[in-house]
Amino acid sequence: MLRWLTAGESHGEALLGIIEGMPSGLYLEADHIDKYLAKRQGGYGRGARMSIERDRVNILSGVRHGMTLGSPIALMIRNLDWKNWKEKMAPFPLSGSDGPADDASISRPRPGHADLPGSLKYNQTDIRNILERSSARGTAATVALGSVAGRMMQELQITAMAHIVSIGGISIKDKIDPWQCEGAVSNSRLYCADAEAEAAMIEEIDRARHDGDTLGGVFEVRIRGLHPGIGSHVQADRRLDGQLAQAVMGIPAVKGVEVGLGFGVASRPGSKVHDPICYDAVSNTYRHIGNNAGGIEGGMSNGEEIVVRAAMKPIPTLMKPLDSVDMMDKSAVSAHAERSDVCAVPAASVVAEAEVCLVIARALLEKHGGDSMAELQENYNAYKKLISGR
Ligand code: EPS
């Protein structure tokens, strides 16, 4: 079973990720992970923090001489900003003249953030004790874990990509195939396949920054090369679409997730929603005409591309803050404002790709098992042979 966990505060010493259940014999180097960490840090619209951080992974366990061992893989990413927060975020008690670090404490919750419900739930008077973990900084650890899952999928010729569909209400053209524009997506400042839309999005981000506002958007993750039959219809929690939705919805600020045509299915008749089935005698496989299902039928992959789309709300930290209440004296105040991003939709798309890869890798291992890559590969090939021509 593949399982994983992250830990770390935004201005703490480091972020950590542990993934267990990855087969042995997978070629893995820090560079594979660092490439995705750098991508997550990018994207036009990020704030000053990104010029402080240079995310690099430190592989602490589970890999020897560039090969996984089958033991838990522990990954660490240092927060370079830690040097400015050592005292304010110290794990040990401060006393005497060191005093509690009052200048870092916050009592004015930001609408849309974890600040208010988190402070009530965890019985905290200082909102910093909530926001340090709810911060999207923690998604660096998720990306590190997801890039390990993506590395395993590559060995099975299964590839993932993410791209931006819209920012601040500006959308890419309908007919764009992101696989055809993979180069353009990775060179884009917004990971956007449509240069014209990208220019308009950048203008919109500049406008929001000038107005002390923030912007959300929509991004999409696609998985190519997956065979039919991972996930299952037999139990709700084994449905692949359900697992993907949970994973992507778990990314900070995501408020909606769609698979394939998504909400579009509700307004069309069945004949315009379901993808007709045909048989391709050359590849000995069933195919679908169209992919409104987003590659998933009955909670299982159907052999078509997996298409997962998500809507991200604008970041709740506004430089022109909304109305709030001071939790110390219940007075009406403006919400807390501190250095933040104007738009983190491109970064979130990289996080979503990581989350999707983790879910797909877990489902692949559930189906095919294997403690080593050789065993996984053999099981995988045997299954493909079994269903070929059926
Ligand atoms: C975040 C606030 C900002 C973002 C941060 C998420 O950090 P800071 O408060 O240090 O300026 O830049 O995102 C990251 C640090 C990151 O690596 O993505 C928040 O409050 O969620």
Side-chain angles (χ1 to χ4, degrees), residues 60-381:
L60 300 179
S61 74
V63 181
R64 184 170 183 229
H65 303 157
M67 288 290 176
T68 58
L69 300 173
S71 55
I73 300 171
L75 305 173
M76 178 176 73
I77 302 150
R78 290 199 177 280
N79 286 321
L80 300 186
D81 207 12
W82 162 243
K83 63 177 186 299
N84 304 314
W85 290 77
K86 273 187 181 162
E87 195 177 281
K88 287 180 278 192
M89 288 299 291
F92 48 82
L94 297 177
S95 58
S97 57
D98 292 339
D102 282 333
D103 61 327
S105 89
I106 298 164
S107 60
R108 294 172 290 135
R110 290 160 293 179
H113 216 284
D115 297 354
L116 178 58
S119 302
L120 297 174
K121 176 177 168 67
Y122 288 92
N123 195 27
Q124 297 294 330
T125 47
D126 182 358
I127 290 171
R128 180 154 302 283
N129 291 338
I130 301 305
L131 74 83
E132 281 291 330
R133 181 61 186 158
S134 67
S135 164
R137 174 78 190 138
T139 61
T142 308
V143 167
L145 296 174
S147 57
V148 178
R151 182 77 269 290
M152 187 202 92
M153 288 159 57
Q154 275 172 6
E155 292 292 322
L156 305 178
Q157 279 78 53
I158 301 166
T159 47
M161 79 164 302
H163 73 111
I164 299 305
V165 174
S166 77
I167 285 180
I170 296 160
S171 301
I172 61 169
K173 290 181 207 77
D174 268 354
K175 295 279 176 247
I176 285 189
D177 175 359
W179 294 106
Q180 299 287 328
C181 319
E182 250 187 303
V185 171
S186 42
N187 289 328
S188 155
R189 288 198 281 174
L190 294 175
Y191 312 142
C192 175
D194 179 344
E196 214 176 297
E198 182 202 55
M201 289 170 187
I202 286 175
E203 264 180 44
E204 211 52 38
I205 293 170
D206 288 341
R207 191 168 307 132
R209 190 191 302 278
H210 177 265
D211 295 346
D213 219 329
T214 55
L215 290 180
V218 174
F219 51 81
E220 192 170 80
V221 180
R222 296 193 178 211
I223 303 287
R224 207 160 62 165
L226 195 59
H227 54 282
I230 70 161
S232 178
H233 64 293
V234 303
Q235 207 64 252
D237 64 354
R238 293 183 60 194
R239 285 184 175 260
L240 187 62
D241 39 6
Q243 294 180 1
L244 288 168
Q246 197 283 324
V248 175
M249 194 65 117
I251 299 168
V254 167
K255 296 299 273 184
V257 181
E258 295 182 323
V259 175
L261 193 54
F263 272 55
V265 300
S267 54
R268 299 185 186 193
S271 57
K272 299 278 185 293
V273 168
H274 303 296
D275 311 311
I277 299 170
C278 60
Y279 193 72
D280 178 6
V282 178
S283 60
N284 263 347
T285 49
Y286 294 97
R287 297 304 313 261
H288 295 77
I289 299 163
N291 189 19
N292 287 339
I296 301 177
E297 291 172 303
M300 290 166 279
S301 59
N302 67 1
E304 303 297 340
E305 204 178 302
I306 304 284
V307 183
V308 180
R309 209 171 304 105
M312 181 186 192
K313 70 185 180 185
I315 287 166
T317 308
L318 304 181
M319 292 307 138
K320 281 197 188 148
L322 296 175
D323 290 349
S324 184
V325 173
D326 194 318
M327 293 180 78
M328 300 308 273
D329 60 9
K330 315 295 180 282
S331 59
V333 289
S334 288
H336 171 71
E338 66 175 34
R339 178 186 70 183
S340 190
D341 305 316
V342 177
C343 175
V345 180
S349 75
V350 181
V351 182
E353 180 179 328
E355 289 280 10
V356 167
C357 285
L358 284 163
V359 169
I360 300 282
R362 182 177 61 194
L364 279 164
L365 286 167
E366 185 190 311
K367 170 96 186 98
H368 303 294
D371 293 306
S372 66
M373 285 304 290
E375 190 184 357
L376 170 64
Q377 195 87 57
E378 203 167 302
N379 295 345
Y380 177 74
N381 292 340

